[in-house]
Amino acid sequence: TVDDIHPSRTPRRTRLPRSVVDAAAWCGPDLRSQAIIASAVQQRLVTPEQLTTVIIRLTTLRKHALIVETVTDVAGGSLSEYELLFARLCRSYRLPTPTRQTRRRDASGRWRYLDIEFDDFRLVVEIDGQQHMEALAWWEDMMRNNELVVDEGKVLLRFAGFALRHQPDKIAAVLRRFFDTRTSQGRGAV
């Protein structure tokens, strides 16, 4: 539609929100489509609201349901492929809905973001991609984890991104045991 065409650029082209939606729709694997949407929002090129405006008009869009679900997850805080997979895992295994990308200050006063948090259970889940395997990143992660446990009394679980992609049933089983144990102790409700 006219709303999707950039008013002053030549050659004529679509505005960025429409281009992101089109790229996600035309992309092959579903996970890649989701990554396109998440990375565009993470880089602040578009907002979930702008994407929603586009997808409301394009009801016959290829992968419409997936794109709507992904924009909803991104609006809820999922800004990486792993966070999107984790949101899908929670829905598939009927686990509680987490808060994503919780902002907090670390002991040195720097702003940090927690990947996933289950507030009612005082549980933080971190998903580690390849970048977390470097020695310095690994050490910084350990120190941040220790602060969460010592300073805030949180429980921390870490999972490898690989396991999230290829062994979601194992991750879901660990989380289910944690929630069941906490619920039976009266320390949270599923």
Side-chain angles (χ1 to χ4, degrees), residues 34-35 38 70 73-74 78 80-88:
Q34 292 180 297
T70 304
D73 285 341
V74 169
S78 294
S80 75
E81 173 185 336
Y82 292 139
E83 291 167 23
L84 291 168
L85 284 170
F86 195 87
R88 185 184 303 164

Side-chain angles (χ1 to χ4, degrees), residues 115-141:
D115 289 346
I116 296 145
E117 190 167 12
F118 293 92
D119 303 319
D120 292 344
F121 294 90
R122 302 194 50 74
L123 171 64
V124 173
V125 175
E126 291 289 315
I127 308 297
D128 293 338
Q130 187 64 34
Q131 73 275 16
H132 293 274
M133 301 302 129
E134 296 174 15
L136 184 57
W138 183 57
W139 171 247
E140 288 176 357
D141 287 345

Side-chain angles (χ1 to χ4, degrees), residues 9-97:
R9 301 281 184 173
T10 54
R12 287 176 52 106
R13 63 191 84 168
T14 58
R15 293 176 190 261
L16 200 49
R18 172 64 189 262
S19 297
V20 169
V21 169
D22 285 344
W26 298 337
C27 190
D30 286 353
L31 201 50
R32 187 161 295 152
S33 297
Q34 292 180 297
I36 287 169
I37 292 168
S39 64
V41 173
Q42 181 182 43
Q43 295 171 43
R44 293 184 172 87
L45 300 173
V46 296
T47 65
E49 294 77 19
Q50 290 171 319
L51 296 173
T52 298
T53 300
V54 172
I55 58 179
I56 285 171
R57 287 195 319 269
L58 303 175
T59 57
T60 60
L61 182 70
R62 184 173 179 262
K63 297 187 181 186
H64 188 269
L66 176 75
I67 292 170
V68 168
E69 176 184 291
T70 304
V71 170
T72 301
D73 285 341
V74 169
S78 294
L79 295 178
S80 75
E81 173 185 336
Y82 292 139
E83 291 167 23
L84 291 168
L85 284 170
F86 195 87
R88 185 184 303 164
L89 178 137
C90 288
R91 281 192 299 275
S92 296
Y93 291 89
R94 295 192 171 133
L95 299 172
T97 302

